[in-house]
Amino acid sequence: MSFADSLHALRPDLIRYARYQLGDETSAEDVVQETLLAALEKPESFSGQSSLRTWVTAILKFKVIDAQRRRYKDPLHIHPELDEENDLSDFDTLFDKTGHWGSEGPRHWNHPDASLQDKQFWHTFEVCRKTMPARTALVFCLREITGLEIEAICQQLEITTTNCSVLLYRARMALRLCLQKNWFDDEVAG
């Protein structure tokens, strides 16, 4: 199989990854095309120390980060009603009077492995992620899904570590509230 054919065989998996990271088909297609073009232009960069899939996925991750950064900096993609400063989520309900976590965690999370494998859970997770403010969701995805270190995220988005930590906190709290309401409580009712 030729190098180009091997790359073409990876395309469906790359599209799936990019679609999940970027949230839309058009952007996913664009970054995968950029990734495949970069790989085809410099095949000598592939040293064979890792699998072809690993090497191309690493290129894709950087292309996704670049696309997310462009989206974040483009005023046409930022909606004021979704900005963090206008986020009215009530996190106070998660804490007791002393400021500590309330006594309850997510209810009825007896089988987390089964829940994680459930497609409906991931659909609900994606809905919850999309309800977050754009910048908050971006930082969350870069950290928790892509696995970037906080320092790298701060460099990529040109934000401070404090700001990054606040955005991650807000994302986790929003995700927890949304999943509690739309997944765990529904499991109990269902």
Side-chain angles (χ1 to χ4, degrees):
M1 182 181 283
S2 74
F3 185 74
D5 289 339
S6 298
L7 288 175
H8 183 71
L10 296 173
R11 192 174 185 287
D13 291 335
L14 298 174
I15 290 286
R16 195 174 312 114
Y17 176 84
R19 188 181 318 122
Y20 181 75
Q21 294 294 319
L22 297 171
D24 74 275
E25 191 71 32
T26 304
S27 297
E29 288 282 345
D30 289 346
V31 296
V32 168
Q33 290 293 23
E34 290 174 22
T35 300
L36 294 175
L37 185 59
L40 285 170
E41 286 177 345
K42 296 191 179 182
E44 69 279 358
S45 313
F46 177 60
S47 64
Q49 292 179 332
S50 61
S51 72
L52 181 62
R53 176 184 300 274
T54 301
W55 180 68
V56 174
T57 302
I59 296 170
L60 177 62
K61 285 181 179 182
F62 286 106
K63 297 292 184 184
V64 165
I65 290 168
D66 289 343
Q68 289 170 328
R69 187 180 336 122
R70 283 190 305 268
R71 183 183 289 175
Y72 165 67
K73 289 185 177 187
D74 183 356
L76 296 176
H77 286 85
I78 299 197
H79 305 286
E81 69 273 12
L82 295 178
D83 201 321
E84 291 82 25
E85 287 72 28
N86 296 322
D87 185 10
L88 301 177
S89 298
D90 184 11
F91 297 128
D92 292 339
T93 60
L94 299 175
F95 304 97
D96 64 19
K97 292 178 185 175
T98 64
H100 293 89
W101 283 105
S103 60
E104 287 186 32
R107 287 180 275 164
H108 299 283
W109 198 1
N110 298 331
H111 306 288
D113 292 336
S115 293
L116 292 176
Q117 293 174 0
D118 188 335
K119 284 185 178 184
Q120 185 60 37
F121 172 82
W122 286 110
H123 173 74
T124 304
F125 175 87
E126 187 62 21
V127 168
C128 291
R129 187 182 68 85
K130 286 183 178 181
T131 62
M132 288 185 220
R135 186 168 50 171
T136 304
L138 172 59
V139 170
F140 178 80
C141 287
L142 290 175
R143 177 70 182 125
E144 302 300 339
I145 296 173
T146 306
L148 284 181
E149 296 296 324
I150 289 179
E151 293 79 24
I153 295 168
C154 292
Q155 276 185 327
Q156 291 287 329
L157 300 180
E158 298 173 358
I159 59 175
T160 66
T161 54
T162 302
N163 189 10
C164 185
S165 296
V166 168
L167 293 173
L168 285 169
Y169 170 79
R170 288 178 179 172
R172 290 173 181 139
M173 293 301 103
L175 187 59
R176 181 177 188 262
L177 286 171
C178 184
L179 287 174
Q180 179 69 42
K181 178 181 176 187
N182 296 303
W183 180 254
F184 296 109
D185 286 348
D186 283 352
E187 278 187 341
V188 175

